[in-house]
Amino acid sequence: MAIILDSLLPLSRPTLPARLSTPFPPPASCLCTRRNQSFQAFSIPRRNAMALILSTYIFSEVGLHDNIAFAEPSVGFREYIDTFDGYSLKYPQNWIQVRGAGADIFFRDPYVLDENLSVELSSPSSSRYKTVEDLGPPEEAGKKVLKQYLTEFMSTRLGVRRESNILSTSSRVADDGKLYYQVEVNIKSYANTNELAVMPQDRVPRLEWNRRYLSVLGVENNRLYELRLQTPESVFVEEENDLRQVMDSFRVNKVAG
């Protein structure tokens, strides 16, 4: 059974008409799943550039007075609770769920296609984690996370190389009393403009993408849980507050039975 509760925070400025500021509805696939999952919506202010452009255009066309104040549209968050595997998180309300992505759950931004989140779980039959400290200190966990990313991004294309570095590692005890590790890495991908060229000067490397990866690691039910967030560095500053709220919301929960 799916439950959606909306809770709007008071705004300091007048808001747009409801038909313009209403957030995207949840995808139908989120309402019916193979597991007993629940969704709850929590709204907080968040800029949605496309909605703002559209609303500005509409009001300019109908000739409204200059003293009308435009509020930033609120996107907010929904809470995703997986009682079958034992974890929960909040995600931006306008992100859409993508099935068949290989992760346990996968959401992405409908406009910035390189911005997404996923959750990876270790196998319950082959892992016997007792605490996230089984990975070592946060610095060691960060190296393992980066190594895993680079392994997944290995390419057989000629002239492709990756540059990477660990930006930060940390640990925190959340309000559930459990220890979580947080890891941030940057990875850049370069490719030659002409990988088949004979002369080195004809193989000029160009930047393909530059992304930040944020991971939250937790242990419960003898399994390692990893929340993964991916975003282009070009939009990270703008989206950082929302992404960190997603990170802070991640919880691992005991599964009954």
Side-chain angles (χ1 to χ4, degrees):
M1 178 178 179
I3 301 174
I4 298 178
L5 301 175
D6 291 311
S7 175
L8 296 176
L9 295 177
L11 299 177
S12 58
R13 296 176 290 175
T15 59
L16 295 176
R19 64 187 180 89
L20 296 178
S21 60
T22 301
F24 289 90
S29 61
C30 287
L31 301 181
C32 298
T33 65
R34 65 181 175 84
R35 306 174 182 135
N36 178 22
Q37 298 163 341
S38 301
F39 295 83
Q40 295 175 312
F42 300 86
S43 295
I44 63 172
R46 184 173 183 259
R47 182 167 60 244
N48 186 320
M50 295 192 68
L52 182 59
I53 293 172
L54 175 62
S55 60
T56 304
Y57 171 78
I58 292 175
F59 279 101
S60 64
E61 287 297 304
V62 300
L64 292 179
H65 298 294
D66 293 338
N67 60 355
I68 293 179
F70 290 89
E72 293 181 353
S74 175
V75 174
F77 290 86
R78 283 195 173 90
E79 185 171 25
Y80 179 90
I81 303 175
D82 188 333
T83 57
F84 182 84
D85 286 313
Y87 66 88
S88 63
L89 59 92
K90 292 179 184 178
Y91 68 96
Q93 188 168 330
N94 68 331
W95 283 24
I96 59 176
Q97 184 177 358
V98 178
R99 296 189 178 278
D104 192 71
I105 192 67
F106 188 97
F107 293 97
R108 69 170 176 82
D109 190 304
Y111 303 115
V112 184
L113 301 185
D114 274 353
E115 191 169 42
N116 56 64
L117 71 82
S118 62
V119 174
E120 302 283 348
L121 315 174
S122 64
S123 170
S125 61
S126 60
S127 63
R128 289 293 181 268
Y129 290 96
K130 298 302 181 183
T131 171
V132 72
E133 292 177 303
D134 290 345
L135 297 172
E139 296 77 14
E140 289 300 315
K143 294 176 182 178
K144 294 175 182 177
V145 168
L146 179 56
K147 182 179 179 180
Q148 181 62 35
Y149 276 126
L150 293 177
T151 299
E152 295 174 6
F153 295 148
M154 286 182 63
S155 175
T156 57
R157 292 160 41 203
L158 295 175
V160 174
R161 65 180 176 87
R162 304 278 157 71
E163 289 185 0
S164 62
N165 61 87
I166 299 174
L167 301 177
S168 69
T169 60
S170 62
S171 63
R172 65 180 176 87
V173 176
D175 55 9
D176 59 359
K178 296 171 185 173
L179 181 65
Y180 295 85
Y181 284 176
Q182 296 189 165
V183 177
E184 295 185 34
V185 303
N186 170 264
I187 302 178
K188 299 181 180 69
S189 177
Y190 294 89
N192 291 337
T193 54
N194 185 1
E195 63 271 15
L196 299 179
V198 176
M199 303 302 293
Q201 61 269 25
D202 295 328
R203 299 192 297 269
V204 180
R206 62 177 177 82
L207 180 65
E208 287 188 307
W209 47 261
N210 179 15
R211 299 172 185 157
R212 183 169 300 210
Y213 295 90
L214 307 100
S215 293
V216 181
L217 305 165
V219 168
E220 186 58 272
N221 306 304
N222 296 325
R223 306 175 73 179
L224 176 65
Y225 297 73
E226 181 182 5
L227 168 67
R228 293 181 165 194
L229 288 159
Q230 169 187 298
T231 185
E233 285 286 356
S234 59
V235 301
F236 174 72
V237 173
E238 180 181 354
E239 301 290 332
E240 181 177 5
N241 182 61
D242 289 346
L243 296 175
R244 296 207 182 280
Q245 289 191 62
V246 174
M247 295 175 70
D248 291 342
S249 74
F250 186 59
R251 299 289 184 273
V252 294
N253 310 309
K254 193 71 176 178
V255 175

